[in-house]
């Protein structure tokens, strides 16, 4: 990077020097012309005629011409001197600006990475970073046959604190708790905020349960002094659950899940600190039960996929449908992804879930193709799946099994997903590209986008987040953002989809802004495959068998 900057500077410098030297040469030529004219005039005025002898005489006898004769040399030297100075000054300015821009880019990228891996309220690592550290600690511990511990801490009755004192004061307490926990730990230990009032602690080097007990006691001591908030003094208690590797589990998901079970057991048994034991499995929270049920539903392929069309704004044709997962739960009814995807992401179930959604979608595409509807499908990909080196192979297998052309599949990946581990994400993304599977940046605008690297991503589409689109008719800022994103995408040679199109007015604005594709309730809600066809056939949108 540095040497390429130096190279560019050298090229720029010599370019500038050559330009300045050109003007010095013009100066020399003008000076010679002046000498020639002056010599001619002196010869003519003094001898009455212009001849070689008279010209030589003028040059020898006229003092003013001698001075004039020096001019080309002075011009040449002066021109060279000025050109070198100018070129180096300009070069230095360019170098200064380049390194300043580069420094700014590094700061912004660090900020983006920090945002994706840290909790914005407490500045502690978030779940993603904790799991990453846990994974590394586990591989070291299994290599060295040593122990490690994880503690999950949940504040007691925090909901009441939040409800009675307000969220602002609740946040103040969470920040104080974070600072106290961090202060009580050794440098090598990590504390993370898992969400809400739940924290986790990773102790990568512990020799025995005794070590963990000592640290738990220190943490409890740290939380003991009253908290001061909004002029009030409050006591906050917490429940601690802990697990040891390898005693209570060998892999990250089991350990995290069991640490939570232990924490719930501590809450139920009104004990402040408990190690996991099989007998506490009955204390699994509703969430854990739901997770076990989700695992079963995936194994038995009982998830459903709804499809939401994406239409070409110019032609009104449905070009693709987005696969959106649904779970028909025997007790809770139809569950939306927001109710189970975050959990599936935390526990690692998301990989199996995505494989199932992909399979169901490709199967449906094969059915549609048989009926003459040659439509593409887009599938949502979470961070874990993008970082899973096996997923591209699973996709290759499914494409072959259902005879779907890879060009007909698009993967929707959010910016934040890519930022978590950019290098690994890019590796997988280039694999998809080599397979001719297209990619879209989903929820564009909500994460932090480093525009500098956007151009290097092997993606086909930017999908503007619905939070900017839905109200763009009455919100000027939103409209400006949508306009800029459309222009940016087109400049980069990418297609743009606007999601969350709910009204005719928004669609009209998008048409004027030259947006390519629209998706939203105006066109259709996500629907089961069979309903989609009948719904679209009653609309003005074209979802018709392609002419073969
Ligand atoms: P997303 O990828 O941003 O999907 C768009 C969401 O917006 C969908 O919610 C869709 O029903 C909703 N939507 C569509 N048109 C409109 C509209 O005009 N107005 C409004 N207000 N909303 C609209 P849904 O189906 O509940 O999905 C929520 C999120 O769950 C998705 O957001 C996606 O991130 C995730 N998700 C869904 N299916 C999967 C999946 O198979 N795998 C993964 N990893 N995530 C999924
Ligand atoms: Ca999506
Ligand atoms: Ca989206």
């Amino acid at each position: 990077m540095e040497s390429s900057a130096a190279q560019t500077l050298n090229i720029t410098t010599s370019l500038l020097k050559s330009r300045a030297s050109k003007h010095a040469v013009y100066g020399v030529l003008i000076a010679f012309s002046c000498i020639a004219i002056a010599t001619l005039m002196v010869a003519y005025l003094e001898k009455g005629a212009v001849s070689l002898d008279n010209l030589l005489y003028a040059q020898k006898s006229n003092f003013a011409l001698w001075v004039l004769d020096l001019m080309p040399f002075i011009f040449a030297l002066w021109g060279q001197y000025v050109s070198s100075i100018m070129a180096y000054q300009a070069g230095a300015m360019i170098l200064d600006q380049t390194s300043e821009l580069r420094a700014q880019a590094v700061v912004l990228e660090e900020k983006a990475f920090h945002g994706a891996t840290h909790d914005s309220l407490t500045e502690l690592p978030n779940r993603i970073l904790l799991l990453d550290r846990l994974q590394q600690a586990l591989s070291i511990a299994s290599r060295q046959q040593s122990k490690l511990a994880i503690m999950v801490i949940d504040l007691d009755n925090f909901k009441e604190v939040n409800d009675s004192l307000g969220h602002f004061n609740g946040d103040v307490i969470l920040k104080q708790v974070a600072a106290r926990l961090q202060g009580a730990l050794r440098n090598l230990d990590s504390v993370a905020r898992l969400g809400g009032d739940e924290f986790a602690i990773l102790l990568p080097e512990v020799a025995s349960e005794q070590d963990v007990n000592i640290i738990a006691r220190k943490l409890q001591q740290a939380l003991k002094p009253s908290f001061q908030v909004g002029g009030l003094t409050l006591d906050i208690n917490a429940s601690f659950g802990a697990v040891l590797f390898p005693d209570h589990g060998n892999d990250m998901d089991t350990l995290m899940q069991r640490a939570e079970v232990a924490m719930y057991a501590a809450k139920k048994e009104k004990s402040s600190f408990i190690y996991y034991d099989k007998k506490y499995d009955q204390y699994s929270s509703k969430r854990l039960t739901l997770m076990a049920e989700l695992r079963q539903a995936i194994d038995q392929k009982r998830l459903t996929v709804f499809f939401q069309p994406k239409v070409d704004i110019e032609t009104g044709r449905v070009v693709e449908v987005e696969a959106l997962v649904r779970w028909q739960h025997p007790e809770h009814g139809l569950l939306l992804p927001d109710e189970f995807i975050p959990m599936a992401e935390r526990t690692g179930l998301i990989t199996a879930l995505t494989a199932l959604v992909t399979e169901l979608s490709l199967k449906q595409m094969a059915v549609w193709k048989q009926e003459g509807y040659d439509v593409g499908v887009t599938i949502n990909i979470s961070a874990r799946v993008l970082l899973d080196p096996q997923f591209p192979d699973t996709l290759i297998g499914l494409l072959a099994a259902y005879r779907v052309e890879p060009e007909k599949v698009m993967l929707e990946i959010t910016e934040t997903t890519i930022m978590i581990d950019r290098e690994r994400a890019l590796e997988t993304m280039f694999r998809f590209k080599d397979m001719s599977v297209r990619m879209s940046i989903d929820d564009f605008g909500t994460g932090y986008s480093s525009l500098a690297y956007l151009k290097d991503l092997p993606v086909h589409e930017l999908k503007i987040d619905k939070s900017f689109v839905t109200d763009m008719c009455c919100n000027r800022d939103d409209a400006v953002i949508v306009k800029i994103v459309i222009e940016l995408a087109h400049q980069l040679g990418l297609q743009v989809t606007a999601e969350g199109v709910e009204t005719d007015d928004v669609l009209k604005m998008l048409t004027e802004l030259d947006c390519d594709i629209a998706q939203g309730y105006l066109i259709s809600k996500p629907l089961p495959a069979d309903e989609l066809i009948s719904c679209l056939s009653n609309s003005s949108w074209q979802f018709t068998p392609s002419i073969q």
Side-chain angles (χ1 to χ4, degrees):
M1 199 75 165
E2 284 305 317
S3 72
S4 87
Q7 243 174 15
T8 317
L9 178 61
N10 279 340
I11 296 169
T12 316
T13 311
S14 39
L15 203 76
L16 282 166
K17 270 166 85 176
S18 77
R19 283 207 187 145
S21 303
K22 208 160 80 189
H23 288 90
V25 170
Y26 290 158
V28 170
L29 288 177
I30 292 169
F32 272 125
S33 313
C34 291
I35 294 169
I37 294 167
T39 314
L40 282 169
M41 285 173 69
V42 171
Y44 184 75
L45 288 173
E46 288 201 7
K47 295 283 183 179
V50 177
S51 68
L52 190 61
D53 283 346
N54 291 350
L55 289 175
L56 283 173
Y57 169 79
Q59 271 292 335
K60 273 187 206 157
S61 62
N62 193 304
F63 178 74
L65 282 183
W66 295 356
V67 176
L68 207 57
D69 285 346
L70 286 175
M71 292 313 279
F73 301 102
I74 294 171
F75 263 123
L77 281 172
W78 180 66
Q80 277 303 318
Y81 174 72
V82 171
S83 71
S84 299
I85 300 246
M86 265 169 59
Y88 280 106
Q89 275 178 349
M93 268 159 66
I94 291 168
L95 194 63
D96 276 358
Q97 280 179 3
T98 316
S99 45
E100 198 181 311
L101 283 175
R102 200 171 297 134
Q104 279 174 2
V106 169
V107 170
L108 287 175
E109 272 166 28
E110 275 171 5
K111 226 164 101 185
F113 180 74
H114 186 87
T117 52
H118 288 77
D119 164 47
S120 56
L121 175 70
T122 59
E123 286 295 316
L124 290 180
N126 63 14
R127 190 183 284 269
I128 292 168
L129 186 56
L130 177 87
L131 292 182
D132 193 51
R133 288 185 184 166
L134 175 57
Q135 191 74 62
Q136 286 175 24
L138 277 174
S139 56
I140 295 172
S142 29
R143 234 188 358 258
Q144 300 177 344
Q145 301 203 320
S146 56
K147 283 183 191 290
L148 68 77
I150 304 157
M151 262 186 240
V152 170
I153 304 172
D154 192 277
L155 308 183
D156 296 338
N157 309 318
F158 191 71
K159 193 175 165 333
E160 281 100 89
V161 174
N162 242 345
D163 290 347
S164 53
L165 299 183
H167 282 272
F168 176 78
N169 287 326
D171 285 353
V172 172
I173 294 177
L174 288 173
K175 279 199 223 173
Q176 292 180 11
V177 169
R180 289 192 192 187
L181 293 176
Q182 208 163 22
L185 288 172
R186 306 169 296 183
N187 276 346
L188 49 109
D189 303 330
S190 308
V191 52
R193 181 168 173 225
L194 298 182
D197 57 345
E198 202 174 289
F199 296 84
I201 290 180
L202 168 65
L203 307 170
E205 281 178 29
V206 287
S208 63
E209 279 194 8
Q210 251 81 10
D211 282 2
V212 185
N213 294 346
I214 293 171
I215 295 170
R217 220 169 299 135
K218 268 199 220 163
L219 294 170
Q220 285 168 332
Q221 285 295 332
L223 296 180
K224 215 164 208 161
S226 306
F227 288 79
Q228 307 288 332
V229 58
L232 290 171
T233 304
L234 273 180
D235 285 330
I236 301 272
N237 292 316
S239 305
F240 286 61
V243 283
L244 276 169
F245 164 85
D247 313 38
H248 300 121
N250 285 315
D251 64 277
M252 185 168 83
D253 295 335
T254 313
L255 286 165
M256 283 306 289
Q257 191 174 328
R258 291 186 168 166
E260 284 210 17
V261 170
M263 184 272 291
Y264 280 110
K267 259 195 202 307
K268 291 273 162 55
E269 304 221 327
K270 305 245 180 280
S271 157
S272 55
F273 179 64
I274 276 183
Y275 278 104
Y276 169 79
D277 189 289
K278 224 174 154 17
K279 68 178 185 224
Y280 296 131
D281 279 344
Q282 50 163 321
Y283 288 131
S284 296
S285 68
K286 221 169 88 194
R287 263 191 300 166
L288 290 177
T289 317
L290 205 63
M291 235 38 257
E293 288 169 344
L294 180 61
R295 198 181 296 259
Q296 256 186 5
I298 295 171
D299 286 347
Q300 298 167 1
K301 304 198 174 175
R302 280 193 287 103
L303 294 185
T304 317
V305 178
F306 278 26
F307 297 95
Q308 187 180 32
K310 289 168 75 177
V311 298
D312 182 320
I313 296 182
E314 209 180 306
T315 62
R317 271 192 79 86
V318 175
V319 279
E320 263 146 15
V321 290
E322 178 174 4
L324 293 157
V325 67
R326 299 289 183 266
W327 179 16
Q328 185 66 49
H329 190 279
E331 283 165 51
H332 312 305
L334 189 71
L335 296 183
L336 291 174
D338 289 346
E339 294 170 87
F340 58 91
I341 291 275
M343 260 193 322
E345 281 170 349
R346 263 184 252 143
T347 52
L349 267 185
I350 191 72
T351 320
L353 182 145
T354 309
L356 178 59
V357 169
T358 311
E359 181 180 352
L360 296 174
S361 308
L362 298 196
K363 202 170 167 178
Q364 186 56 49
M365 279 176 88
V367 173
W368 274 328
K369 201 170 172 191
Q370 276 223 318
E371 294 170 356
Y373 301 98
D374 199 11
V375 68
V377 95
T378 71
I379 294 163
N380 291 284
I381 299 294
S382 305
R384 277 223 193 189
V385 179
L386 188 64
L387 299 180
D388 172 12
Q390 263 176 18
F391 182 70
D393 297 310
T394 308
L395 183 57
I396 292 176
L398 289 169
L399 288 168
Y402 293 101
R403 297 172 187 231
V404 170
E405 297 114 297
E407 296 82 3
K408 290 270 168 208
V409 174
M410 177 135 83
L411 305 176
E412 295 195 4
I413 307 166
T414 65
E415 304 160 70
T416 343
T417 297
I418 299 169
M419 293 305 290
I420 289 170
D421 186 343
R422 228 169 70 193
E423 255 172 52
R424 264 170 73 198
L426 271 176
E427 235 171 73
T428 320
M429 288 173 81
F430 276 102
R431 275 195 74 190
F432 291 136
K433 189 181 178 214
D434 291 343
M435 289 159 56
S436 305
V437 168
R438 293 165 308 148
M439 283 155 281
S440 167
I441 303 288
D442 201 358
D443 301 347
F444 190 78
T446 53
Y448 167 80
S449 306
S450 171
L451 295 180
Y453 85 91
L454 190 62
K455 67 176 180 6
D456 299 327
L457 293 179
V459 297
H460 181 80
E461 180 192 81
L462 291 189
K463 195 169 183 185
I464 313 175
D465 190 65
K466 52 181 176 292
S467 59
F468 304 110
V469 177
T470 309
D471 295 326
M472 66 184 280
C473 277
C474 38
N475 184 320
R476 226 188 79 82
D477 291 349
D478 285 355
V480 169
I481 291 172
V482 172
K483 182 175 185 295
I484 290 173
V485 175
I486 294 173
E487 278 168 14
L488 171 78
H490 287 164
Q491 288 287 330
L492 293 171
L494 304 176
Q495 155 186 308
V496 203
T497 291
E499 64 172 23
V501 179
E502 295 183 357
T503 60
D504 280 315
D505 288 344
V506 167
L507 185 66
K508 194 163 158 263
M509 257 182 109
L510 289 168
T511 316
E512 281 160 11
L513 293 175
D514 209 17
C515 182
D516 307 303
I517 292 174
Q519 184 185 25
Y521 295 164
L522 174 71
I523 299 144
S524 164
K525 290 201 166 190
L527 291 171
D530 46 350
E531 279 179 45
L532 185 74
I533 303 230
S534 59
C535 171
L536 287 173
S537 58
N538 291 327
S539 74
S540 57
W541 308 104
Q542 295 177 46
F543 190 53
T544 45
S546 32
I547 303 142
Q548 310 243 311

